[in-house]
Amino acid sequence: MQATGKAGTGGPRVERRSIDFVPENERHGSPGQQFTLWFGANMQITAIVDGALAVLFGADALWAIIGLLVGNLLGGAVMALHAAQGPKLGLPQMISSRAQFGIFGAVIPLVLVVVMYLGFAATGTVLSGQAISLILHTGTPAVGMIVFGALTIVVATLGYKYIHMLGRIATVVGILGFTYLGIRLLTSQDVGALLGAGGFEFPTFLLAISLGAGWQLTYGPYVADYSRYLPSKTPARKTFMSAYFGTVIGSQWSMTLGALFAALALPKGARFLDGQVAFLGNLSGGGLIAVVIYLVIVTGKLTVNTLNAYGGYMTMLTSVTAFTRKSAVASWTRFVYVIGFIGLSVLIAVLASPDFIANFKNFVLLLLMVFIPWSSINLVDYYLVSKEKVDIPALYDLNGRYGRWNKTALLSYAIGIVIQIPFLAQTLYTGPMTDLLGGADISWLVGLVVTAIVFYPLAKRNSNAPAEMVYPTELGPAESESDSDAGAVEPVAGPVSKSAAV
């Protein structure tokens, strides 16, 4: 199969690259594509549910919206910092994390990342299954879930360019559909009364912030997967801003609608809890327009579910190749991995759907505990310790500069998880510090800050970062004339360094 080529070389082709470095002659696109991808990925019903949770669990609609905005702004900044790494590194996010954790050490958070992808894929499948069932009048959401799973497999298998194409479609469809729902809400309900129905409560305000931040932060482990094909000279600031505004605006738009829908469904939220998709169909006016809204829901969810499937494939492959020592795999493996991943997510969706709302709230908040320390370590090392310099060939070499395990990162990661436990406010466990804070959950903030404070001085002292970026021979960014005249090193199994320093 042909590799994905530059823009202008023809239509999209099936992607050949996987966990390997993307050479400069295969780079294409512009930062603006990051905006449409992440805007479209967030204009979807699960984000509406995430915003609704803030109200359903006690927050006033107005303060829920403000809290969600604060969370999206803070979490979106972390997410976009990960996105900005893609063009320079040309690597999937979790492969680059070997620079912090070591080749074997990176597998530990990778296992948890796969669980995250499965959880989000399953929750998305529940909602999309409802929508497809209502469109086809099957009366059985499980049928809709299977149909949705099949659609996800097709797009995720085709790869990078098709995912971005779907993101652009979802952006247009989401804007039209969600604008219509907003107009229906404004014209059919007293929105002023919904916003002024309650008062400020600090614990529920912090819950809203956590829901917004958690939503953004869980993109961290795969966001660079979708910016790694951009030309290496793409300014990091432009990549950051495009991803940041795309994800924040799309998420906040959806979550604001969710908070208002939940406030409309109070006092007990039964109308929303009984069927989130049907609730939106009824709000739209029913009939043919409801079918259109269901299609909007499916399109938005297909975009983000494809990200989950593609990211899950890349993550599993990163874990496996840590032990097989391969730097690239055959194209057909994507199909096999994606089928297994989506099949499992559909099974989880069918089994978990009755308690969807409660499970999803606990799932999102619990993920914060695991991924905040990972993000903190990755960003501190890349931007503050290594100064954006990575030895890419060493990421595939057990005997290279990054080695098998990085004890500093793993210790900091463990501390970052453990330190959050006293601040948790979960259904299964409530930490002792939570009561002192009136029930507010600030574990994510504690984990972010403490992990950085612990990791930075240790990593600075033990840093083994290269003095300059080290790219694979004949695969790096466009080389200068003097570089090419010097002659190329003969390739061996796996990438070869342009630099003698390892």
Side-chain angles (χ1 to χ4, degrees), residues 315-334:
T315 301
M316 290 186 287
L317 200 57
T318 300
S319 301
V320 171
T321 55
F323 300 97
T324 63
R325 305 188 185 187
K326 291 184 178 180
S327 60
V329 296
S331 299
W332 60 265
T333 58
R334 181 185 296 114

Side-chain angles (χ1 to χ4, degrees), residues 134-431:
L134 289 168
I135 293 171
L136 301 178
H137 301 288
T138 64
T140 307
V143 174
M145 294 178 192
I146 294 171
V147 171
F148 182 71
L151 292 172
T152 303
I153 288 172
V154 171
V155 182
T157 301
L158 292 174
Y160 181 90
K161 271 196 170 184
Y162 289 90
I163 294 171
H164 272 281
M165 182 186 300
L166 182 60
R168 291 191 289 273
I169 294 172
T171 294
V172 175
V173 170
I175 288 175
L176 294 175
F178 283 29
T179 298
Y180 175 79
L181 286 175
I183 292 172
R184 282 285 301 179
L185 182 66
L186 289 171
T187 55
S188 64
Q189 305 294 329
D190 186 352
V191 175
L194 295 178
L195 293 174
F200 177 80
E201 293 183 7
F202 189 61
T204 54
F205 180 69
L206 284 183
L207 171 64
I209 293 176
S210 296
L211 287 168
W215 179 268
Q216 298 295 345
L217 293 166
T218 50
Y219 285 130
Y222 66 23
V223 59
D225 296 4
Y226 306 99
S227 59
R228 76 189 198 278
Y229 277 92
L230 290 175
S232 61
K233 300 300 182 184
T234 303
R237 180 182 60 83
K238 289 186 177 180
T239 306
F240 174 91
M241 298 303 286
S242 296
Y244 182 71
F245 284 113
T247 194
V248 170
I249 295 173
S251 299
Q252 188 61 32
W253 189 336
S254 301
M255 292 181 189
T256 297
L257 287 176
L260 293 173
F261 294 156
L264 179 62
L266 291 176
K268 294 184 178 180
R271 293 164 57 198
F272 192 81
L273 291 170
D274 288 345
Q276 303 83 36
V277 174
F279 180 90
L280 297 187
N282 292 332
L283 179 68
S284 70
L288 182 60
I289 191 63
V291 173
V292 174
I293 293 300
Y294 299 150
L295 289 172
V296 170
I297 290 170
V298 172
T299 303
K301 282 311 309 173
L302 182 59
T303 302
V304 76
N305 223 51
T306 301
L307 299 183
N308 290 325
Y310 183 87
Y313 153 72
M314 300 285 273
T315 301
M316 290 186 287
L317 200 57
T318 300
S319 301
V320 171
T321 55
F323 300 97
T324 63
R325 305 188 185 187
K326 291 184 178 180
S327 60
V329 296
S331 299
W332 60 265
T333 58
R334 181 185 296 114
F335 186 64
V336 174
Y337 275 80
V338 168
I339 284 181
F341 178 88
I342 292 300
L344 182 56
S345 71
V346 170
L347 178 62
I348 294 171
V350 171
L351 297 176
S353 55
D355 299 317
F356 172 71
I357 288 285
N359 290 338
F360 182 67
K361 179 241 183 182
N362 294 326
F363 174 70
V364 170
L365 294 179
L366 190 61
L367 282 177
L368 286 174
M369 181 182 176
V370 174
F371 294 107
I372 282 289
W374 179 89
S375 277
S376 185
I377 290 169
N378 177 270
L379 297 178
V380 167
D381 178 74
Y382 182 77
Y383 289 106
L384 301 180
V385 178
S386 299
K387 307 290 186 182
E388 304 181 42
K389 299 178 180 66
V390 178
D391 183 343
I392 292 176
L395 298 173
Y396 304 89
D397 183 2
L398 289 174
N399 299 313
R401 72 170 71 243
Y402 301 120
R404 291 164 169 78
W405 309 90
N406 186 312
K407 295 178 182 177
T408 297
L410 291 171
L411 175 63
S412 302
Y413 182 66
I415 292 173
I417 292 175
V418 172
I419 196 65
Q420 296 176 70
I421 295 175
F423 298 89
L424 287 174
Q426 293 283 320
T427 301
L428 297 177
Y429 176 78
T430 299

Side-chain angles (χ1 to χ4, degrees), residues 427-482:
T427 301
L428 297 177
Y429 176 78
T430 299
M433 295 302 296
T434 304
D435 290 335
L436 298 177
L437 295 168
D441 186 335
I442 62 167
S443 58
W444 65 276
L445 184 58
V446 173
L448 184 69
V449 174
V450 171
T451 303
I453 291 173
V454 171
F455 176 72
Y456 177 73
L458 295 174
K460 193 75 173 173
R461 186 182 310 141
N462 301 314
S463 175
N464 194 26
E468 299 294 337
M469 277 292 299
V470 183
Y471 289 104
T473 300
E474 300 180 358
L475 292 177
E479 301 176 24
S480 65
E481 190 173 334
S482 59

Side-chain angles (χ1 to χ4, degrees), residues 82-107:
H82 286 296
Q85 298 177 20
K88 188 166 187 177
L89 296 179
L91 295 169
Q93 185 74 71
M94 298 309 291
I95 283 287
S96 68
S97 73
R98 290 176 174 178
Q100 292 86 48
F101 291 89
I103 295 176
F104 288 162
V107 174

Side-chain angles (χ1 to χ4, degrees), residues 33-54:
Q33 294 175 343
Q34 298 299 303
F35 178 90
T36 54
L37 175 65
W38 294 108
F39 184 91
N42 287 292
M43 291 288 285
Q44 42 112 346
I45 192 169
T46 314
I48 288 178
V49 171
D50 194 69
L53 289 174

